[in-house]
Amino acid sequence: MTLQSFSLPSATERLTVSYDGIRRAAEIICHGGVVAFGTETVYGLGALSTSRKAVARIFDIKGRPSFNPLINHFATPDRAFAEVTLDIPLREQALALAERFWPGPLTLVLPRHEGSRICDTASAALPSLALRVPQGRAIQEMLRLIDAPVAAPSANRSGLISPSTASHVLSGLDGKIDAILDTGPSAVGVESTVVDLSGARPLLLRPGGITREALEEICGPVDTQTSDNHQPRSPGQLSSHYAPHLPLRLNADHIKASEALLAFGHIPGALRHSPLIWNLSENEDLAEAAARLFAGLHFLDYEGKRRNLSGIAAMPLPSHGMGLALLDRLRRAAAPRPHQN
Ligand code: AMP
Ligand code: MG
């Protein structure tokens, strides 16, 4: 895109999935703007990873701590891999995972190439970079037009519930971002799985849209992050995150007075009298539950507050498949909130 005199929008522009809408989103990002757009995981807040000024705006708009690095998005695996070195012990695993899951909800962490133009503030000055090739024609087309790495964390204030629709984004960030490209509700509904391949063995930093079982089929055993290996490898995994305003109680087997219910599958008698219920999946389908998780938390929180309810009780969920990502989000949504803003 050509760099002529350009002023960023003075209010948040609403863009739709059309040639003009996608082109406008790309143009704003190319000129240092910040645009929210739908991906298959959640809505992202995108800006050029190569511009310190644009990256600073993402951190500022989100209120995100500077030690939490951003994921870089690309139109193709080749463009993603150009930013890192594959001269590593897990080279074959990196190529096989990209071949199988890109475009899709998988983020790979790899050692940064010395020639990478991604600025140090986007990667929190780490020696590695997080890369993803997202799915969806609109976002792919936009990234192709931009032709540079796009940093895109979730389009919400740091610590709060992630957005899976354009209206979730606008309820928190209208007026603070330059534009939003409304691509409809996010199909997967939880963030990408993050796997670190920069060490001797694959390490799962964050469960997400690709299950551990599916990963291991392609690249063999994957280690899990523990408190010992946690800090240096993934500085962004804060214990409190995704938090609704109402308190959230996990593994509920009864309902306390005036609690909303986040249900999964058949609702037992002891829970059925909750005044406000969102069922993630009546058929216990974990993919459906993931797609409905953040919408459910937004709904129960908003409607629960409006009706003066005391909190949200969540039914137990299985820990296999996508259940691992759901439980991770719910545990952090229920954690104490030292830094809420
Ligand atoms: P978010 O943008 O909030 O979806 O989170 C991105 C996640 O990727 C955070 O948990 C970061 O800690 C993690 N991440 C990003 N870059 C790196 C990196 N270079 N090394 C380890 N983890 C990373
Ligand atoms: Mg987020």
Side-chain angles (χ1 to χ4, degrees), residues 64 68-69 71 109 126 128-130 153 205-206 233-237:
R64 180 168 171 120
N68 192 356
I71 296 173
V109 173
L126 291 170
S128 56
L129 295 174
L205 297 179
R206 174 176 75 185
R233 304 285 294 262
S234 192
Q237 293 295 311

Side-chain angles (χ1 to χ4, degrees), residues 1-15:
M1 292 208 154
T2 50
L3 286 174
Q4 292 156 350
S5 77
F6 183 91
S7 331
L8 291 172
S10 52
T12 301
E13 282 185 17
R14 269 70 163 167
L15 306 173

Side-chain angles (χ1 to χ4, degrees), residues 62 64 153-154 156 162 191 206 241-242:
K62 282 185 63 73
R64 180 168 171 120
S154 55
N156 55 285
S162 300
E191 290 83 350
R206 174 176 75 185
H241 215 78
Y242 311 103

Side-chain angles (χ1 to χ4, degrees), residues 57-291:
R57 280 193 66 206
I58 291 184
F59 279 95
D60 184 45
I61 290 167
K62 282 185 63 73
R64 180 168 171 120
S66 60
F67 58 78
N68 192 356
L70 306 175
I71 296 173
N72 301 284
H73 295 71
F74 302 85
T76 64
D78 283 354
R79 290 181 200 190
F81 285 143
E83 303 295 327
V84 292
T85 174
L86 286 178
D87 193 10
I88 51 167
L90 297 180
R91 173 190 169 86
E92 291 314 314
Q93 285 85 342
L95 294 173
L97 288 170
E99 168 76 20
R100 172 68 183 82
F101 296 116
W102 280 351
L106 177 68
T107 294
L108 300 180
V109 173
L110 289 159
R112 178 191 185 98
H113 190 277
E114 58 185 22
S116 171
R117 296 156 302 149
I118 292 173
C119 58
D120 56 349
T121 46
S123 62
L126 291 170
S128 56
L129 295 174
L131 314 173
R132 185 162 99 82
V133 177
Q135 228 165 38
R137 281 182 57 189
I139 170 96
Q140 289 250 328
E141 185 55 29
M142 187 191 81
L143 291 169
R144 204 165 285 123
L145 287 170
I146 294 168
D147 197 21
V150 171
S154 55
N156 55 285
R157 290 281 297 170
S158 189
L160 303 185
I161 307 171
S162 300
S164 55
T165 65
S167 68
H168 295 157
V169 176
L170 289 170
S171 72
L173 301 182
D174 196 7
K176 300 191 171 78
I177 59 180
D178 298 317
I180 179 164
L181 180 63
D182 186 345
T183 49
S186 298
V188 174
V190 291
E191 290 83 350
S192 58
T193 299
V194 182
V195 186
D196 187 349
L197 298 176
S198 64
R201 286 164 60 95
L203 177 67
L204 180 64
L205 297 179
R206 174 176 75 185
I210 301 292
T211 65
R212 163 189 275 280
E213 294 88 335
L215 279 181
E216 292 192 328
E217 252 178 53
I218 304 295
C219 72
V222 173
D223 289 344
T224 304
Q225 179 171 260
T226 63
S227 50
D228 294 342
N229 60 16
H230 168 135
Q231 246 343 70
R233 304 285 294 262
S234 192
Q237 293 295 311
L238 302 169
S239 57
S240 169
H241 215 78
Y242 311 103
H245 294 91
L246 290 176
L248 176 67
R249 192 165 65 82
L250 302 183
N251 292 321
D253 57 5
H254 66 287
I255 285 292
K256 295 184 188 163
S258 67
E259 262 182 336
L261 177 67
L262 187 68
F264 179 71
H266 172 76
I267 303 174
L271 298 171
R272 232 173 273 157
H273 62 276
S274 166
L276 185 66
I277 298 179
W278 178 279
N279 202 331
L280 291 169
S281 171
E282 290 182 7
N283 304 322
E284 302 193 6
D285 174 341
L286 285 168
E288 181 186 28

